[in-house]
Amino acid sequence: MSNKKEKLTPQQQSYQQLQDIHEVKRPLLKNCVKAFLVGGIICVIGQAISYMYLYFFNFTEQTVGNPTVATMIFISMLLTGFGIYDRLGQFGGAGSAVPVTGFGNAVISAAIEHRTEGFVLGVGGNIFKLAGSVIIFGVFSAFVVALIKTLILQLGG
C-alpha cells in the first residue's frame, strides 16, 4: 500500500485524505450478528417446514429435503414479489442471501425487473441470469461427487 501512495500525485493524495475523513465506518460486528440472526431464523423456519412434512405428510428423513427446499424457495419468491424479502435483505445482508431462499429471491428479482420487456425476451431471457450459474455449478458438482463416489466404491468394494 505504501508503494501505491508514493506514486500518487499531491492532488491524488489530498483527495485520498479527504476520502478517508468522510468514509463511513461500517459496524462489522453488528452486521455479522444481523446476518447470523436472519440466516438462523430462515433456517429455523426451514427446519419447522421439514418437521411439518415429516410428521403430517408421508415423508421420511431421507425424502423430506426436496419438498422443504421447494417450499422455502416458493416462500422467498412470494416475499420477493410483495417486497418483503428486499427489506429483509437490506437488514440481514448475506444472512438472507446465503440460504436457499436467496436463490429464489435472485430468480424472481430478475423476472420482476425485466417483466416490462415481455415474457419471452424479458422474463424468460433474464430469469436465469444469476441463477443459471448456480444451477450449472450445482449440476456439475453433483456429477463430480457422484463420479468420485462411484470410483471409490468400484476400487474399494
Side-chain angles (χ1 to χ4, degrees):
M1 203 68 181
S2 62
N3 288 338
K4 199 172 191 180
K5 284 192 176 188
E6 291 173 7
K7 295 179 183 179
L8 295 177
T9 65
Q11 185 179 12
Q12 290 173 328
Q13 288 177 350
S14 67
Y15 180 78
Q16 185 69 39
Q17 290 171 349
L18 182 67
Q19 179 183 352
D20 291 342
I21 292 170
H22 293 289
E23 183 179 4
V24 176
K25 304 295 183 222
R26 292 178 182 87
L28 184 62
L29 182 62
K30 181 180 174 184
N31 289 346
C32 288
V33 168
K34 288 197 296 189
F36 178 78
L37 290 175
V38 168
I41 289 170
I42 290 172
C43 291
V44 166
I45 292 169
Q47 191 65 45
I49 291 171
S50 179
Y51 283 142
M52 179 194 70
Y53 281 124
L54 193 61
Y55 292 116
F56 295 118
F57 299 96
N58 196 17
F59 287 98
T60 65
E61 288 186 15
Q62 288 76 29
T63 61
V64 75
N66 291 338
T68 301
V69 168
T71 303
M72 291 298 290
I73 290 173
F74 179 73
I75 290 171
S76 71
M77 289 179 165
L78 279 177
L79 294 177
T80 300
F82 291 125
I84 297 169
Y85 204 87
D86 293 335
R87 284 185 264 150
L88 183 68
Q90 288 172 350
F91 175 78
S96 67
V98 173
V100 73
T101 54
F103 173 77
N105 179 41
V107 170
I108 203 70
S109 292
I112 291 170
E113 183 178 340
H114 297 284
R115 72 181 182 271
T116 58
E117 298 172 23
F119 286 118
V120 175
L121 296 177
V123 174
N126 293 299
I127 196 167
F128 291 115
K129 235 180 210 180
L130 174 67
S133 59
V134 174
I135 293 170
I136 293 296
F137 181 74
V139 169
F140 180 73
S141 298
F143 172 75
V144 170
V145 168
L147 185 64
I148 292 170
K149 179 181 177 184
T150 303
L151 289 173
I152 289 173
L153 289 176
Q154 291 295 324
L155 296 174

